[in-house]
Amino acid sequence: MSAIILPWKKAYRIIFYDDRRIRHIGTVSLARTTKGIRPDEFMIRRPGASHLQKTPTKDLLIALRQGSVHLTMRDPQMEEFLASLQISFEFTSLCRICMLEDRVTPLDRETSIRCGREQICPECARKELSRELSHLRKLGKKTRNYIEDLLMEHRDLEAVLAIIQPESPDMKKSLYDRVEAHPVGKTDRLDELPVPRSFLDVAGVETLMPAQQLAVEGGLLFGKHQLVVAATASGKTFIGEMAGFKNLLEGRGRVLFLVPLVALANQKYERFNDRYKDIASVSLSTGVSRLNLPETRSVARRDAGSDIIVGTYEGVDNILRRGRRLRSIGTIVIDEVQMLEDPERGHRLDGMIARLKHVAPKAQFIYLSATIGAPHLLAKKLNAHLVTYAERPVPLDRHLLFVERDAKIPTIKRLVFEEFGKKSSKGYKGQTIIFTNARARCHQVAEAIGPRAAPYHAGLTAQERRDIESKFAKGKIAAVVTTAALAAGVDFPASQVIFDALAMGIEWLTVQEFQQMMGRAGRPDFHDAGRVVILAEPGGSYSRESKATEEEIALRLLKGIMEEVAPFYGMEESSEEYAANAVVARGIEGDLESMNQKMVGTLEDALPEMEKHGIVHRRGGVIELSPFGRVMAEHFIGIERLMRIRKLVRKVEDPLLILADLECKTDDEEKKRR
């Protein structure tokens, strides 16, 4: 029979066992006598019994001499006692919590789990973890399994508990993973490349970044169409600038630089105008605002004949849909081309690209994105050379915290000011972008943080947004709180991104949207590293129809893989693009079919339905659009919405009631789609 001895209050606890089965449990106190250290009082009980019985100390000595003796830690008094009686002993590692419950569980490096300053067994660690998780009542089974997996992986209970204790999180322990930076190899100097001297003088770039080097090696400066997929801040915009100015200044045509959002178009316009105004004229084309007020319209040149036209997708597409021509176009840059996957706007971007290929067949197309699933397949569909650079210029730490909704804002506030108190080796303060799901929440979070934070969303005027952008650039504010809908258009050099919500409105983010937003943390010219913090609410949801919960979505997004860009368009989207393509084709059926074939997505055959309603007429290989067909093209609507409008106009006189009916119908359709 073996004995395990461990310190117990002011005495010692002794467990007598064989084959890990406990036979007796005793306590003994030691006292120094003239013969040395000897047992003073020895008490013993059987497992399951509650009362200790006083036992002669000679029984203890007999028992210790009969079997092996194990000490759980160094103890000079006990070691001296055993040595004086010539009782050999060895040290062993056992789970202390098990021993308190009359169990013997040996520990080793592979199985033990750190708990504070001691090691415990996996079973006890799981019980401790379960007790700590008990206050998170809505935690899903998948999430509990994930946390237990983390426990087994990290072997540190405190590190795992850090993700569910936002009131005092240790960010080193809440780390989900780290995306390492890639060391930059030797790249060409700009003056070594075949670019015009006038561009070289104003470009402000001396040496290429790795993604730019790969684009140049892939034929960028020799007219090659390219799909460039590289991380945020890897220099993608300048790839478009190099191709555009080489073509422009060498007489091959003007430049179109297209982006998804007005805010981003304004930023690009101002940057291009400041840098290149001495060698090229720059214009802005963002279409007509729904509210055409002075405060919503930025001050900019709007000449369609300028050397460089910076515009939104819809702004430039509207020119095409009205049957106007864009002449002498040498380079077309489509920024944020991952918008092809957008359920509402993807078909319009897809159609616009096909229409631009038709009106500018000799133009060089450059497609830019930070996040694309199966990019080699998309490159093939776009007939473009693929340039990929997956490495980030700075490392990115990704943290996951499970936080109740009421604890989110205090956690955000602490993280924002913690980051703002840091300064990078480049001399810039740490600043934060906070993504949430609604404009009202933007204001709520910003007000809670205080004057060092500002809400930033599409509901602000252009001037208000520019003021916030300026303050952020100057380091005067610590954070902007924005909606997920503006993820592609937010160009703030932030070191930290915080997800207050993992939804866009009431829809969960896709893996691609999440990675796009996440990638905005950490810029090489400003920061040494980026940090992403996901605050996931256990059991949280933004729609009654969603069965998934926010903490489950967080795990799905962190582990997710982006899917191939292969959309299928329904009748509404297909009919809208058919009408727009028909305008650009000027009714020539062969040209119309060619444009349809060049689209990435798959169209439904909309022609029979459009003929049925008299929207198009076929005459000898020519497709003629009716006035209603032209309305569809110019106003970005499909056949179902057009029929609804026609029906309402006949029945309802008040235009506001017509508008209300259309919007409610749209909401209903969105619910059905979800």
Side-chain angles (χ1 to χ4, degrees):
M1 188 163 58
S2 300
I4 299 170
I5 303 174
L6 63 153
W8 177 253
K9 298 181 180 178
K10 293 183 179 181
Y12 299 89
R13 196 168 194 233
I14 305 179
I15 299 173
F16 297 98
Y17 74 101
D18 54 25
D19 296 327
R20 295 193 187 180
R21 183 179 177 186
I22 296 176
R23 299 296 184 178
H24 300 89
I25 300 163
T27 59
V28 64
S29 57
L30 300 179
R32 188 171 292 279
T33 68
T34 55
K35 295 181 180 181
I37 297 177
R38 293 291 183 269
D40 184 31
E41 185 177 58
F42 179 47
M43 308 285 286
I44 199 167
R45 68 174 173 84
R46 292 185 180 277
S50 57
H51 298 292
L52 290 165
Q53 294 181 347
K54 191 169 184 179
T55 305
T57 56
K58 67 177 182 178
D59 291 352
L60 169 64
L61 302 180
I62 293 170
L64 292 177
R65 285 194 171 102
Q66 285 179 343
S68 59
V69 177
H70 305 271
L71 301 185
T72 61
M73 62 180 64
R74 299 304 301 255
D75 188 281
Q77 186 181 39
M78 177 57 71
E79 290 176 42
E80 183 181 338
F81 161 64
L82 294 172
S84 68
L85 296 175
Q86 298 182 333
I87 297 173
S88 61
F89 61 89
E90 60 184 28
F91 292 97
T92 189
S93 182
L94 301 170
C95 176
R96 181 184 62 83
I97 297 176
C98 281
M99 288 190 290
L100 294 177
E101 298 175 355
D102 297 344
R103 296 194 310 274
V104 176
T105 308
L107 300 175
D108 56 44
R109 289 185 177 181
E110 293 182 0
T111 61
S112 62
I113 293 176
R114 184 179 178 84
C115 180
R117 296 182 179 180
E118 66 178 334
Q119 302 288 328
I120 61 176
C121 71
E123 185 179 347
C124 290
R126 287 192 186 96
K127 288 180 180 178
E128 288 295 314
L129 180 62
S130 182
R131 275 194 285 271
E132 292 290 344
L133 293 177
S134 61
H135 73 283
L136 297 175
R137 298 176 184 176
K138 297 179 181 178
L139 207 62
K141 184 178 179 181
K142 290 181 181 178
T143 310
R144 287 180 180 273
N145 291 340
Y146 163 73
I147 295 174
E148 284 197 10
D149 289 343
L150 278 184
L151 182 65
M152 296 301 106
E153 179 183 346
H154 295 299
R155 300 282 169 186
D156 189 330
L157 182 60
E158 287 189 354
V160 175
L161 290 176
I163 69 174
I164 60 169
Q165 295 174 341
E167 64 279 356
S168 57
D170 183 340
M171 297 308 286
K172 292 180 181 178
K173 293 179 178 178
S174 67
L175 184 67
Y176 177 84
D177 63 11
R178 165 171 272 218
V179 181
E180 294 291 351
H182 186 75
V184 177
K186 189 178 185 304
T187 57
D188 291 338
R189 290 177 54 84
L190 190 61
D191 57 14
E192 297 172 340
L193 302 178
V195 295
R197 183 72 213 183
S198 56
F199 171 68
L200 186 65
D201 291 340
V202 298
V205 172
E206 293 184 2
T207 305
L208 297 183
M209 297 176 71
Q212 297 163 356
Q213 179 73 35
L214 292 173
V216 169
E217 291 172 358
L220 176 75
L221 301 178
F222 296 96
K224 193 86 170 177
H225 304 313
Q226 291 192 343
L227 168 61
V228 182
V229 182
T232 300
S234 58
K236 294 189 296 295
T237 297
F238 191 68
I239 291 172
E241 292 171 46
M242 281 193 287
F245 276 96
K246 182 173 174 64
N247 290 329
L248 172 68
L249 298 174
E250 292 181 356
R252 283 183 290 277
R254 300 181 296 140
V255 183
L256 283 182
F257 199 104
L258 307 181
V259 297
L261 297 172
V262 173
L264 189 53
N266 288 334
Q267 288 179 336
K268 297 289 186 189
Y269 167 78
E270 290 173 7
R271 179 177 171 277
F272 289 174
N273 195 46
D274 289 343
R275 178 168 292 182
Y276 301 119
K277 60 186 175 184
D278 292 337
I279 62 171
S281 56
V282 184
S283 285
L284 183 65
S285 178
T286 55
V288 179
S289 173
R290 289 181 181 179
L291 295 175
N292 196 15
L293 303 173
E295 60 268 26
T296 65
R297 190 173 174 86
S298 59
V299 178
R301 178 188 175 109
R302 298 178 186 271
D303 181 359
S306 293
D307 297 324
I308 305 169
I309 299 174
V310 180
T312 56
Y313 304 154
E314 286 83 359
V316 170
D317 197 16
N318 184 253
I319 297 173
L320 301 175
R321 286 168 176 255
R322 284 183 289 153
R324 297 185 181 181
R325 291 293 187 184
L326 288 168
R327 302 188 184 279
S328 302
I329 303 298
T331 312
I332 298 172
V333 182
I334 310 290
D335 200 7
E336 311 291 356
V337 73
Q338 75 279 351
M339 291 294 291
L340 283 167
E341 293 186 299
D342 187 275
E344 293 184 13
R345 301 171 65 196
H347 64 95
R348 292 168 184 160
L349 173 58
D350 196 357
M352 182 196 69
I353 292 171
R355 291 185 278 279
L356 286 172
K357 286 181 177 179
H358 180 75
V359 301
K362 295 183 180 180
Q364 180 182 7
F365 280 77
I366 308 295
Y367 309 94
L368 308 177
S369 178
T371 52
I372 283 286
H376 61 291
L377 295 177
L378 179 60
K380 186 176 181 180
K381 293 174 182 177
L382 292 171
N383 190 29
H385 172 72
L386 177 62
V387 175
T388 59
Y389 185 73
E391 288 77 12
R392 284 181 53 85
V394 297
L396 180 69
D397 290 342
R398 305 198 303 175
H399 298 262
L400 174 59
L401 294 172
F402 296 120
V403 183
E404 296 287 0
R405 187 164 182 80
D406 291 345
K408 280 191 175 184
I409 289 179
T411 303
I412 290 169
K413 186 174 182 179
R414 188 183 61 255
L415 291 172
V416 164
F417 285 108
E418 177 186 301
E419 189 72 10
F420 197 56
K422 300 175 183 176
K423 185 173 282 191
S424 74
S425 62
K426 283 91 170 174
Y428 291 92
K429 286 186 173 183
Q431 292 171 284
T432 302
I433 298 173
I434 301 158
F435 285 114
T436 190
N437 71 313
R439 295 179 186 180
R441 180 72 173 173
C442 287
H443 289 272
Q444 182 185 2
V445 174
E447 288 170 8
I449 295 172
R452 289 289 192 181
Y456 184 94
H457 53 72
L460 303 179
T461 66
Q463 185 59 50
E464 287 172 328
R465 288 200 298 269
R466 283 196 294 272
D467 288 345
I468 293 167
E469 290 161 11
S470 175
K471 288 178 181 177
F472 195 94
K474 294 175 182 177
K476 292 183 178 180
I477 56 177
V480 291
V481 191
T482 188
T483 56
L486 276 185
V490 178
D491 192 22
F492 295 105
S495 56
Q496 177 173 250
V497 164
I498 297 175
F499 286 89
D500 171 59
L502 294 175
M504 186 182 296
I506 60 173
E507 294 282 350
W508 294 121
L509 298 176
T510 65
V511 173
Q512 185 228 51
E513 289 165 343
F514 172 72
Q515 292 196 5
Q516 179 78 18
M517 297 155 75
M518 180 183 70
R520 311 210 76 83
R523 303 285 279 271
D525 295 336
F526 296 84
H527 313 119
D528 304 311
R531 183 166 80 171
V532 172
V533 184
I534 300 156
L535 304 180
E537 179 189 356
S541 180
Y542 300 90
S543 168
R544 292 179 182 177
E545 298 168 17
S546 174
K547 294 181 181 179
T549 56
E550 192 165 55
E551 88 281 0
E552 293 174 341
I553 293 295
L555 297 173
R556 187 187 305 171
L557 293 175
L558 285 165
K559 297 176 182 178
I561 298 174
M562 291 178 288
E563 297 179 356
E564 175 193 354
V565 180
F568 181 87
Y569 306 130
M571 181 56 68
E572 185 75 351
E573 296 87 0
S574 298
S575 58
E576 178 190 329
E577 296 313 311
Y578 194 96
N581 288 345
V583 170
V584 175
R586 298 186 182 276
I588 300 172
E589 194 166 357
D591 290 349
L592 172 57
E593 186 57 31
S594 175
M595 271 184 274
N596 291 344
Q597 291 298 321
K598 287 175 183 174
M599 291 180 64
V600 171
T602 303
L603 293 167
E604 270 194 52
D605 185 4
L607 184 57
E609 189 71 11
M610 296 173 77
E611 283 185 303
K612 173 184 169 183
H613 292 283
I615 295 170
V616 299
H617 304 283
R618 224 177 195 170
R619 291 190 179 90
V622 176
I623 302 292
E624 294 182 1
L625 283 175
S626 71
F628 275 120
R630 293 191 174 276
V631 167
M632 285 175 62
E634 291 182 26
H635 294 276
F636 297 80
I637 59 176
I639 191 169
E640 294 170 8
R641 192 168 178 83
L642 177 68
M643 294 298 103
R644 181 93 186 146
I645 292 171
R646 288 176 68 176
K647 183 178 178 181
L648 287 170
V649 167
R650 293 188 184 111
K651 292 171 59 178
V652 182
E653 293 184 2
D654 189 338
L656 290 178
L657 290 177
I658 294 175
L659 181 61
D661 188 285
L662 288 171
E663 290 303 310
C664 291
K665 181 72 174 176
T666 300
D667 290 343
D668 290 341
E669 289 169 351
E670 280 297 302
K671 287 178 182 178
K672 288 178 183 177
R673 182 179 66 80
R674 288 196 301 271

